[in-house]
Amino acid sequence: MPAFTDRLRRFKTRVERALDARLLSATTSPSHLHAAMRYVTLDGGKRVRASLVYAAGAAVGAPDSALDVPACAVELIHAYSLVHDDLPCMDNDDLRRGKPTCHKAYDEATALLAGDALQSYAFEILANDPTLTIGAAQRLRMIALLAQAAGAHGMAGGQAIDLASGGRTLTLAQLEDMHLRKTGALIRVSVLLGAFTREGVEAAKLEAFEKYSHAIGLAFQITDDILDVEGNAETLGKKPGVDRERGKPTYPLLMGLSEAKARAKALKSQALESLAPLGDNGRLLAELAGFIIERRQ
């Protein structure tokens, strides 16, 4: 575990530096917008999605230097989604990653524009960054995958379902569908972008990545729901109990807390089983599955 913890720390440091190098300085015009983009993207978060990119890439033999661009792209999309989710017209949150949300630190209009700019920048670097040394067809495939994960079939669609579900009782199947879009889609694409950084990956391995990412994407959200019940603001970096206050459907609400924990553990087992075609190369992804489900923040 110490070796894994060190690897995770190095992934976090690496993507932080890569993001810092690619985001324009806070003095670049329009400075207010660039300052807000840096505020919400840098120095925060667990960088789970970036770590999944690096771990999946490592499993197919891609060097970390080839994975910086997709790792940055998924973190930019994630940062944009958090900024927009926190807005008054959405979840109206005051705290994110242990500091004031973007619309509180700046203003609503700047937060909206910062999210827009971060989203478009993710696709810009996937399309143009010269450090991503793959063929044009593979690059286009990665862009399409990220677009699908962020759009109506992925995060945006999941958030729309979430907003419409307040005060309603969803079935477990409906809840799962919502979270496979809202949370699972970006988890899935993080794994796939890492794998696609290396061309010619065997079909059996790509299927393993698909099954793994499906399981941990859902497990990630179940763990979030559990932490909303059991966590505290100091460790979570945001106010706990918000979903319950807003009457949102969650796994503990539908299944009970103990059953939700059991479901997360079962999904972890599925994720680990799916990695068999990768052999020892899947070890890091296996450890990440444990980290995702056993985390306390």
Side-chain angles (χ1 to χ4, degrees):
M1 187 56 73
F4 169 71
T5 303
D6 181 63
R7 193 79 180 270
L8 210 59
R9 188 182 302 112
R10 285 191 283 125
F11 286 159
K12 186 174 180 178
T13 300
R14 184 175 188 97
V15 77
E16 192 78 21
R17 289 174 178 166
L19 286 164
D20 184 40
R22 285 166 174 81
L23 287 166
L24 294 179
S25 76
T27 59
T28 302
S29 180
S31 57
H32 199 59
L33 176 61
H34 287 122
M37 292 168 67
R38 295 180 69 85
Y39 174 81
V40 300
T41 305
L42 300 176
D43 191 27
K46 299 173 290 295
R47 304 300 188 198
V48 169
R49 291 154 190 83
S51 295
L52 286 168
V53 173
Y54 288 120
V60 296
D64 285 353
S65 58
L67 296 160
D68 287 339
V69 173
C72 285
V74 296
E75 287 295 337
L76 290 169
I77 292 289
H78 183 49
Y80 125 73
S81 73
L82 298 181
V83 172
H84 281 197
D85 283 0
D86 290 338
L87 287 170
C89 63
M90 296 269 206
D91 291 342
N92 195 24
D93 281 321
D94 297 337
L95 192 66
R96 173 68 70 178
R97 291 175 170 174
K99 60 186 182 182
T101 50
C102 190
H103 67 277
K104 290 293 183 179
Y106 292 85
D107 55 72
E108 286 185 40
T110 299
L112 182 67
L113 291 171
D116 291 344
L118 288 168
Q119 179 182 199
S120 61
Y121 192 43
F123 294 103
E124 181 181 339
I125 65 170
L126 263 186
N128 295 330
D129 196 303
T131 62
L132 182 58
T133 54
I134 56 174
Q138 190 84 337
R139 190 186 285 261
L140 183 60
R141 189 178 188 185
M142 293 171 74
I143 292 169
L145 282 169
L146 186 58
Q148 184 180 44
H153 296 292
M155 283 195 321
Q159 178 71 348
I161 296 169
D162 192 18
L163 290 170
S165 66
R168 292 175 52 213
T169 300
L170 298 184
T171 66
L172 194 57
Q174 289 172 325
L175 183 65
E176 185 168 308
D177 174 64
M178 178 178 79
H179 287 311
L180 283 173
R181 296 167 185 259
K182 184 179 178 183
T183 303
L186 196 56
I187 295 288
R188 170 182 176 268
V189 82
S190 298
V191 175
L192 294 182
L193 290 186
F196 284 137
T197 307
R198 182 75 177 265
E199 300 196 47
V201 176
E202 299 95 320
K205 290 183 178 180
L206 291 178
E207 184 179 358
F209 288 124
E210 280 278 9
K211 290 179 179 178
Y212 170 85
S213 61
H214 181 279
I216 63 162
L218 196 52
F220 189 101
Q221 183 58 52
I222 294 174
T223 302
D224 261 7
D225 285 356
I226 292 168
L227 290 174
D228 190 62
V229 175
E230 296 186 334
N232 58 70
E234 184 177 353
T235 56
L236 293 177
K238 59 182 179 180
K239 182 182 176 184
V242 172
D243 290 341
R244 185 171 61 253
E245 291 174 7
R246 293 170 180 159
K248 287 191 174 185
T250 65
Y251 284 92
L253 182 64
L254 264 65
M255 306 175 70
L257 191 58
S258 61
E259 284 298 316
K261 290 180 178 180
R263 175 68 170 142
K265 289 181 180 178
L267 286 164
K268 176 187 174 183
S269 296
Q270 289 178 27
L272 297 181
E273 289 170 8
S274 72
L275 294 173
L278 302 178
D280 287 344
N281 290 334
R283 186 177 303 168
L284 187 54
L285 286 169
E287 290 179 309
L288 265 170
F291 170 78
I292 285 169
I293 294 162
E294 294 156 18
R295 64 196 163 89
R296 303 310 300 164
Q297 64 182 84

